[in-house]
Amino acid sequence: MTEKLRSVAIDGPSGAGKSTIAKAAAARCGFLYVDTGAIYRTVGLAARRAEADPHSADDVAALLPGLDIRFDYGPDGTQRMFLNGEDVSGPIRTPEASMYASAVSAIPAVRAFLLDMQRDTARTQSVIMDGRDIGTVVLPQAGLKIFLTASLQARAARRLAELAAKGDKSALAEVTADMARRDEQDSHRAAAPLKAAEDAVILDTSDMTLEESIDAVCALIAERFGGEAGR
Ligand code: DC
């Protein structure tokens, strides 16, 4: 049974379109989509609610034993995150939660705490998992690794449109600065920094539409695994 499982690791910076692209590609190719950023965001939210300093390894590590973090998939297939039984899928998406997630994700104890949950999912199902260290740390044996990236300008413009659609009136300069700060934090941390695995295919989507990006990922999947890619 394990033989038939396939895993695809998609890593890259914030706003490269990883989750939208990975989710659509997973649906098209019959894989389970796992958004690991949502899991880190849930720890970030827990830190904020506990009024812990998200940069303090000791303060955040002290919270971990009290956290019950789970995820499942709603009727429409959307990944839902639960923190101690509460559905926090909405609250983890605010810009503030993003900054908390980025800070706590630099703490090695947090990464260790979440590792098994991510690996266990890929042990039982064919997954497309997106994050920052999936190809390098979580699933180093993934059959296909994609490093999905885009210029800071392209990523900021996309994030701005996403926020505007939700009624958020953030300015481009602010969104660009936030994103640059997160890039810096995610790429320069000591624990599992954001970087492409040596055997990753680099896909730059700066000049691609969403459809073109999904097609490109699906083409890579078909090329690597053949026609019967998913479950
Ligand atoms: O993909 P995202 O923006 O939802 O991720 C939120 C934060 O979590 C991001 O700043 C980096 C971190 N993260 C990580 O360190 N490792 C992962 N596998 C996924 C996310």
Side-chain angles (χ1 to χ4, degrees):
M1 173 198 158
T2 341
E3 243 89 304
K4 291 208 198 97
L5 290 178
R6 311 269 191 250
S7 36
V8 179
I10 302 190
D11 293 300
S14 333
K18 290 189 307 290
S19 46
T20 314
I21 295 165
K23 191 175 176 184
R28 215 190 270 178
C29 305
F31 285 70
L32 181 75
Y33 167 58
V34 184
D35 170 2
T36 65
I39 309 176
Y40 284 92
R41 284 169 179 273
T42 304
V43 177
L45 182 71
R48 193 184 68 73
R49 286 184 171 177
E51 296 180 10
D53 171 0
H55 296 282
S56 161
D58 288 346
D59 289 6
V60 176
L63 293 176
L64 299 177
L67 303 186
D68 177 26
I69 295 181
R70 294 165 200 258
F71 62 92
D72 72 5
Y73 294 86
D76 63 350
T78 308
Q79 182 178 325
R80 300 183 298 198
M81 289 306 311
F82 294 87
L83 172 59
N84 296 334
E86 176 193 345
D87 184 343
V88 293
S89 311
I92 60 170
R93 296 290 159 195
T94 64
E96 191 191 17
S98 302
M99 289 315 291
Y100 268 80
S102 181
V104 300
S105 68
I107 299 170
V110 171
R111 307 204 71 83
F113 179 70
L114 300 178
L115 191 57
D116 285 347
M117 180 190 304
Q118 298 170 80
R119 284 191 177 154
D120 285 349
T121 309
R123 246 193 285 279
T124 51
Q125 286 155 102
S126 289
V127 295
I128 294 188
M129 194 174 276
D130 89 32
R132 302 295 188 288
D133 63 337
I134 309 304
T136 50
V137 177
V138 179
L139 302 177
Q141 312 298 340
L144 173 63
K145 301 178 187 178
I146 300 174
F147 193 79
L148 199 70
T149 189
S151 67
L152 177 62
Q153 290 85 336
R155 291 185 287 122
R158 287 175 195 166
R159 181 55 53 88
L160 189 73
E162 244 171 58
L163 289 171
K166 286 192 219 151
D168 182 306
K169 296 199 173 60
S170 301
L172 180 62
E174 186 192 334
V175 173
T176 310
D178 260 17
M179 202 161 255
R181 193 147 23 109
R182 279 220 284 155
D183 281 359
E184 173 74 20
Q185 210 162 261
D186 296 343
S187 317
H188 292 98
R189 65 187 181 206
L194 168 67
K195 66 166 196 266
E198 273 177 20
D199 49 351
V201 178
I202 313 279
L203 192 62
D204 185 328
T205 66
S206 304
D207 299 318
M208 289 184 183
T209 63
L210 183 58
E211 257 331 289
E212 287 169 343
S213 309
I214 298 165
D215 287 348
V217 167
C218 288
L220 287 169
I221 291 174
E223 186 186 300
R224 189 64 53 100
F225 299 124
E228 27 166 317
R231 280 168 281 179

